[in-house]
PDB file of all heavy atoms in Angstrom:
ATOM      1  N   LYS A 217     -29.411 -34.652 -60.730  1.00 77.00           N
ATOM      2  CA  LYS A 217     -29.455 -35.981 -61.348  1.00 77.00           C
ATOM      3  C   LYS A 217     -30.721 -36.136 -62.176  1.00 77.00           C
ATOM      4  O   LYS A 217     -30.706 -36.649 -63.301  1.00 77.00           O
ATOM      5  CB  LYS A 217     -29.399 -37.064 -60.267  1.00 77.00           C
ATOM      6  CG  LYS A 217     -28.037 -37.255 -59.625  1.00 77.00           C
ATOM      7  CD  LYS A 217     -28.107 -38.326 -58.537  1.00 77.00           C
ATOM      8  CE  LYS A 217     -26.748 -38.503 -57.857  1.00 77.00           C
ATOM      9  NZ  LYS A 217     -26.818 -39.519 -56.766  1.00 77.00           N
ATOM     10  N   LEU A 218     -31.821 -35.682 -61.605  1.00 74.00           N
ATOM     11  CA  LEU A 218     -33.100 -35.749 -62.311  1.00 74.00           C
ATOM     12  C   LEU A 218     -33.100 -34.823 -63.521  1.00 74.00           C
ATOM     13  O   LEU A 218     -33.600 -35.184 -64.593  1.00 74.00           O
ATOM     14  CB  LEU A 218     -34.223 -35.364 -61.337  1.00 74.00           C
ATOM     15  CG  LEU A 218     -35.659 -35.615 -61.795  1.00 74.00           C
ATOM     16  CD1 LEU A 218     -35.871 -37.068 -62.189  1.00 74.00           C
ATOM     17  CD2 LEU A 218     -36.646 -35.217 -60.703  1.00 74.00           C
ATOM     18  N   LYS A 219     -32.526 -33.664 -63.350  1.00 72.00           N
ATOM     19  CA  LYS A 219     -32.444 -32.714 -64.456  1.00 72.00           C
ATOM     20  C   LYS A 219     -31.622 -33.278 -65.605  1.00 72.00           C
ATOM     21  O   LYS A 219     -31.975 -33.128 -66.785  1.00 72.00           O
ATOM     22  CB  LYS A 219     -31.815 -31.400 -63.961  1.00 72.00           C
ATOM     23  CG  LYS A 219     -31.736 -30.291 -65.012  1.00 72.00           C
ATOM     24  CD  LYS A 219     -31.122 -29.050 -64.388  1.00 72.00           C
ATOM     25  CE  LYS A 219     -30.994 -27.933 -65.405  1.00 72.00           C
ATOM     26  NZ  LYS A 219     -32.304 -27.420 -65.847  1.00 72.00           N
ATOM     27  N   ASP A 220     -30.520 -33.969 -65.264  1.00 68.00           N
ATOM     28  CA  ASP A 220     -29.686 -34.577 -66.288  1.00 68.00           C
ATOM     29  C   ASP A 220     -30.432 -35.700 -67.008  1.00 68.00           C
ATOM     30  O   ASP A 220     -30.330 -35.848 -68.228  1.00 68.00           O
ATOM     31  CB  ASP A 220     -28.414 -35.134 -65.639  1.00 68.00           C
ATOM     32  CG  ASP A 220     -27.357 -35.502 -66.662  1.00 68.00           C
ATOM     33  OD1 ASP A 220     -26.974 -34.627 -67.462  1.00 68.00           O
ATOM     34  OD2 ASP A 220     -26.926 -36.674 -66.675  1.00 68.00           O
ATOM     35  N   ALA A 221     -31.195 -36.479 -66.226  1.00 66.00           N
ATOM     36  CA  ALA A 221     -31.984 -37.548 -66.832  1.00 66.00           C
ATOM     37  C   ALA A 221     -33.029 -36.975 -67.784  1.00 66.00           C
ATOM     38  O   ALA A 221     -33.270 -37.509 -68.875  1.00 66.00           O
ATOM     39  CB  ALA A 221     -32.653 -38.390 -65.756  1.00 66.00           C
ATOM     40  N   ILE A 222     -33.650 -35.866 -67.370  1.00 65.00           N
ATOM     41  CA  ILE A 222     -34.640 -35.210 -68.229  1.00 65.00           C
ATOM     42  C   ILE A 222     -33.991 -34.699 -69.511  1.00 65.00           C
ATOM     43  O   ILE A 222     -34.559 -34.815 -70.612  1.00 65.00           O
ATOM     44  CB  ILE A 222     -35.308 -34.046 -67.472  1.00 65.00           C
ATOM     45  CG1 ILE A 222     -36.145 -34.582 -66.316  1.00 65.00           C
ATOM     46  CG2 ILE A 222     -36.169 -33.216 -68.406  1.00 65.00           C
ATOM     47  CD1 ILE A 222     -37.275 -35.473 -66.722  1.00 65.00           C
ATOM     48  N   THR A 223     -32.804 -34.153 -69.388  1.00 66.00           N
ATOM     49  CA  THR A 223     -32.087 -33.658 -70.573  1.00 66.00           C
ATOM     50  C   THR A 223     -31.831 -34.798 -71.560  1.00 66.00           C
ATOM     51  O   THR A 223     -32.007 -34.644 -72.776  1.00 66.00           O
ATOM     52  CB  THR A 223     -30.754 -33.018 -70.158  1.00 66.00           C
ATOM     53  OG1 THR A 223     -31.010 -31.933 -69.272  1.00 66.00           O
ATOM     54  CG2 THR A 223     -29.996 -32.495 -71.374  1.00 66.00           C
ATOM     55  N   ASN A 224     -31.416 -35.944 -71.022  1.00 62.00           N
ATOM     56  CA  ASN A 224     -31.179 -37.102 -71.893  1.00 62.00           C
ATOM     57  C   ASN A 224     -32.467 -37.602 -72.530  1.00 62.00           C
ATOM     58  O   ASN A 224     -32.482 -38.010 -73.704  1.00 62.00           O
ATOM     59  CB  ASN A 224     -30.516 -38.224 -71.093  1.00 62.00           C
ATOM     60  CG  ASN A 224     -29.106 -37.874 -70.661  1.00 62.00           C
ATOM     61  OD1 ASN A 224     -28.423 -37.093 -71.330  1.00 62.00           O
ATOM     62  ND2 ASN A 224     -28.656 -38.415 -69.540  1.00 62.00           N
ATOM     63  N   LEU A 225     -33.565 -37.574 -71.774  1.00 62.00           N
ATOM     64  CA  LEU A 225     -34.853 -37.970 -72.327  1.00 62.00           C
ATOM     65  C   LEU A 225     -35.304 -37.013 -73.431  1.00 62.00           C
ATOM     66  O   LEU A 225     -35.839 -37.432 -74.461  1.00 62.00           O
ATOM     67  CB  LEU A 225     -35.910 -38.007 -71.220  1.00 62.00           C
ATOM     68  CG  LEU A 225     -35.971 -39.270 -70.362  1.00 62.00           C
ATOM     69  CD1 LEU A 225     -36.942 -39.069 -69.207  1.00 62.00           C
ATOM     70  CD2 LEU A 225     -36.401 -40.467 -71.196  1.00 62.00           C
ATOM     71  N   GLU A 226     -35.082 -35.746 -73.208  1.00 58.00           N
ATOM     72  CA  GLU A 226     -35.448 -34.759 -74.224  1.00 58.00           C
ATOM     73  C   GLU A 226     -34.635 -34.971 -75.501  1.00 58.00           C
ATOM     74  O   GLU A 226     -35.139 -34.792 -76.617  1.00 58.00           O
ATOM     75  CB  GLU A 226     -35.239 -33.351 -73.680  1.00 58.00           C
ATOM     76  CG  GLU A 226     -36.273 -32.941 -72.635  1.00 58.00           C
ATOM     77  CD  GLU A 226     -36.005 -31.561 -72.066  1.00 58.00           C
ATOM     78  OE1 GLU A 226     -34.811 -31.178 -71.983  1.00 58.00           O
ATOM     79  OE2 GLU A 226     -36.971 -30.877 -71.709  1.00 58.00           O
ATOM     80  N   LEU A 227     -33.366 -35.338 -75.332  1.00 58.00           N
ATOM     81  CA  LEU A 227     -32.531 -35.613 -76.501  1.00 58.00           C
ATOM     82  C   LEU A 227     -33.056 -36.830 -77.257  1.00 58.00           C
ATOM     83  O   LEU A 227     -33.145 -36.816 -78.488  1.00 58.00           O
ATOM     84  CB  LEU A 227     -31.082 -35.850 -76.050  1.00 58.00           C
ATOM     85  CG  LEU A 227     -30.071 -36.158 -77.167  1.00 58.00           C
ATOM     86  CD1 LEU A 227     -30.009 -35.004 -78.164  1.00 58.00           C
ATOM     87  CD2 LEU A 227     -28.687 -36.432 -76.575  1.00 58.00           C
ATOM     88  N   ALA A 228     -33.434 -37.871 -76.503  1.00 60.00           N
ATOM     89  CA  ALA A 228     -34.002 -39.065 -77.147  1.00 60.00           C
ATOM     90  C   ALA A 228     -35.307 -38.721 -77.850  1.00 60.00           C
ATOM     91  O   ALA A 228     -35.603 -39.226 -78.946  1.00 60.00           O
ATOM     92  CB  ALA A 228     -34.223 -40.151 -76.098  1.00 60.00           C
TER      93      ALA A 228
END
Side-chain angles (χ1 to χ4, degrees):
K217 286 178 181 178
L218 191 56
K219 183 179 179 67
D220 193 56
I222 293 298
T223 300
N224 292 332
L225 277 173
E226 288 177 329
L227 180 60

